[in-house]
Amino acid sequence: MNRITDVLQELFGLFVEDGSLAIAIVVWICIAAFLFPHLPGGSAWRAPALFLGLALLLFENVLRSARKQ
Amino acid sequence: MGVWTHAGPAFLASFLASLVEFVEALTIVLAVGTVRGWRPALIGTFAGALLLTLAVLLFGPTLQRIPITTLQLAVGVLLLLFGMRWLRKAILRSVGIIGLHDEEAIYAKQTAKLEREGDSGPTRMDWVAVATTFKAVVLEGLEVVFIVIATGAVGQMLVPASIGAASAGIVVIFLGLLIHRPLARVPENTLKFTVGILLSAFGVFWVGEGLHLPWPGEDLSLFGLAGAFLTISLLAILVIRKGQPETSPQSQGGQS
């Protein structure tokens, strides 16, 4: 049973190491999916905005992690 | 042009990521083989490889039944989580916030642990050794399988992605047979940095495609995304290093 739990934990760990970053990524994708289509200005900005948000999340996360140390 | 814009990055991401994973698995297999004998080490290795093959054969065809936009979105989200995790870790390792992955230290720790666990006797099967290599091969191999499927299946680039992973496997096995030591000189953090950038770029691209968000330049935007992730990562490294005290000994240890 312990070995199965270990394996499941390791599988989860493949995708999630810092919970706040993982949650922020998923929340931003949800915003892009549900909010972007209702915003004005055409569709050309939406994909670059998706990237920009993710890049900022990464940037903020590593700076915050560095400050914690 | 469209084929190469996907095939090149798919091959490269798969090759580099698999190289890292195979090196990690090789360290454990070498430790087990050296301390507990090659028979149980290889039995565990082949059993792990067999399980992975069966999993691919079982779940691989079901992917083709999933609608393409759902697959793009699901794979994109997983790739983003996976890729940005690697990228975050590589950035923090580059600036010395967390320690570099040391294959020789892992090898020494694993051999010491296996020596403590005692001998199973000359005639009985050494199940500790079998389980250790089995677990290492399955866990590292699952990452390889995920990367190959994620970078290959969505854009119909399974062949270049698989060739990339197989090439990495051949390189690592050949080097392992040749030097019989952990591959400590592989610049693992640089590889993880590169792979993190490529997988994050693939991830955000597929999420955009899955959500029907049009990318400027279509497939070519993959290169722009990779370049932008590289820029933001280097900028983060620069900002963190500027904020670190100059005497910090770890800040000189980055490989990126």
Side-chain angles (χ1 to χ4, degrees):
Chain A
M1 190 63 187
N2 277 346
R3 279 192 190 276
I4 294 171
T5 314
D6 285 352
V7 170
L8 289 176
Q9 272 177 349
E10 296 222 26
L11 282 178
F12 181 73
L14 292 184
F15 301 99
V16 180
E17 191 170 63
D18 182 309
S20 66
L21 179 64
I23 291 169
I25 290 170
V26 173
V27 168
W28 183 244
I29 290 170
C30 289
I31 289 171
F34 299 111
L35 195 63
F36 281 14
H38 301 290
L39 295 176
S43 61
W45 60 271
R46 290 176 189 164
L50 171 71
F51 162 75
L52 201 63
L54 292 165
L56 287 174
L57 289 176
L58 176 70
F59 191 78
E60 186 278 333
N61 183 277
V62 289
L63 257 58
R64 184 158 42 87
S65 301
R67 270 200 306 269
K68 273 189 201 166
Q69 302 299 314
Chain B
M1 185 69 181
V3 171
W4 288 106
T5 54
H6 277 286
F11 173 85
L12 191 65
S14 183
F15 176 79
L16 295 178
S18 304
L19 201 62
V20 173
E21 301 305 337
F22 284 131
V23 165
E24 290 180 5
L26 177 74
T27 300
I28 308 293
V29 173
L30 281 174
V32 174
T34 307
V35 176
R36 312 288 289 228
W38 289 102
R39 188 166 161 258
L42 292 176
I43 288 173
T45 302
F46 286 119
L50 184 67
L51 181 71
L52 289 170
T53 308
L54 289 175
V56 170
L57 291 175
L58 193 69
F59 296 115
T62 60
L63 286 176
Q64 291 167 348
R65 295 182 191 170
I66 301 172
I68 186 69
T69 51
T70 310
L71 191 64
Q72 284 171 335
L73 190 57
V75 166
V77 172
L78 290 176
L79 265 178
L80 264 178
L81 292 172
F82 191 87
M84 284 176 71
R85 173 182 156 266
W86 273 37
L87 193 49
R88 172 186 177 274
K89 211 166 179 174
I91 292 169
L92 294 175
R93 278 185 171 146
S94 300
V95 292
I97 300 290
I98 53 176
L100 292 172
H101 198 89
D102 185 344
E103 291 302 327
E104 284 194 335
I106 293 168
Y107 178 81
K109 190 179 163 190
Q110 192 70 44
T111 49
K113 187 182 166 206
L114 289 164
E115 278 165 355
R116 275 198 309 274
E117 287 181 0
D119 200 349
S120 61
T123 53
R124 290 178 56 205
M125 174 56 74
D126 187 347
W127 290 110
V128 172
V130 173
T132 305
T133 51
F134 177 78
K135 187 182 163 194
V137 169
V138 169
L139 287 175
E140 305 301 345
L142 269 179
E143 292 192 59
V144 172
V145 169
F146 168 71
I147 291 162
V148 169
I149 288 175
T151 55
V154 183
Q156 295 179 323
M157 289 295 146
L158 216 46
V159 172
S162 304
I163 292 172
S167 310
I170 291 167
V171 168
V172 171
I173 291 168
F174 176 74
L175 289 175
L177 287 172
L178 198 70
I179 64 175
H180 260 257
R181 287 185 59 79
L183 305 181
R185 290 190 175 202
V186 172
E188 194 165 323
N189 203 47
T190 307
L191 289 177
K192 282 196 165 177
F193 197 94
T194 311
V195 174
I197 284 168
L198 288 171
L199 296 187
S200 301
F202 266 110
V204 71
F205 180 80
W206 289 129
V207 168
E209 292 282 295
L211 295 177
H212 303 293
L213 308 179
W215 287 106
E218 298 183 356
D219 290 354
L220 283 172
S221 65
L222 258 178
F223 295 100
L225 289 168
F229 269 116
L230 174 65
T231 307
I232 203 91
S233 304
L234 293 176
L235 187 65
I237 290 171
L238 201 69
V239 171
I240 295 170
R241 281 197 173 144
K242 277 198 169 184
Q244 282 178 325
E246 287 199 10
T247 50
S248 171
Q250 279 187 308
S251 64
Q252 305 303 315
Q255 290 185 10
S256 70

